Amino acid sequence: QVQLVESGGGLVQPGGSLRLSCAASGSNFSIYTMAWYRQAPGKERKFVARVKWSDGSTYVGDSVKGRFTISRDNAKNTVYLQMNSLKPEDTAVYYCAVSLTGSQYDYWGQGTQVTVSS
């Protein structure tokens, strides 16, 4: 069993930056992939970015490419999402997820609110 705790959300102005963190804890698990998804009010949950734990390789969705960066800290079992040049369209609840098998995302965090508004 794995627990994911997210932090770092908040209110920022357009063009601002925010850094999200998600720490995984539990016993006897190995991370294959961690990812970030987001869900805006009235919208479906959408993929944002993912990082493969073994080599740190990343993949970022087109909607945030060039603005968001995903990274991980192996020693802390933590994934980060650095968000720059934020737009109002980025407003959403951001969720982190972990895949232990590489086939699906097994556990999800509680979500952290990001609001981009002037």
Side-chain angles (χ1 to χ4, degrees):
Q1 184 170 305
V2 178
Q3 295 80 45
L4 301 176
V5 179
E6 303 175 20
S7 62
L11 174 64
V12 294
Q13 296 183 18
S17 297
L18 212 56
R19 188 190 190 213
L20 306 183
S21 300
C22 176
S25 63
S27 299
N28 299 316
F29 71 94
S30 296
I31 298 171
Y32 186 86
T33 305
M34 291 190 75
W36 289 96
Y37 283 72
R38 66 186 183 184
Q39 187 170 25
K43 303 289 184 64
E44 296 182 359
R45 188 171 297 185
K46 297 280 192 176
F47 170 81
V48 176
R50 67 107 179 120
V51 58
K52 188 177 180 181
W53 222 251
S54 60
D55 61 6
S57 60
T58 62
Y59 182 81
V60 181
D62 290 342
S63 63
V64 301
K65 186 177 181 180
R67 300 187 297 120
F68 291 12
T69 302
I70 188 171
S71 61
R72 94 283 198 223
D73 186 327
N74 304 79
K76 297 180 179 180
N77 280 340
T78 298
V79 64
Y80 304 96
L81 186 67
Q82 179 65 48
M83 305 183 294
N84 299 326
S85 302
L86 283 161
K87 305 174 181 180
E89 307 91 87
D90 297 318
T91 296
V93 176
Y94 284 70
Y95 298 91
C96 69
V98 61
S99 174
L100 306 181
T101 65
S103 298
Q104 63 182 30
Y105 289 105
D106 304 287
Y107 299 95
W108 294 80
Q110 82 282 1
T112 185
Q113 177 71 49
V114 172
T115 302
V116 185
S117 177
S118 59

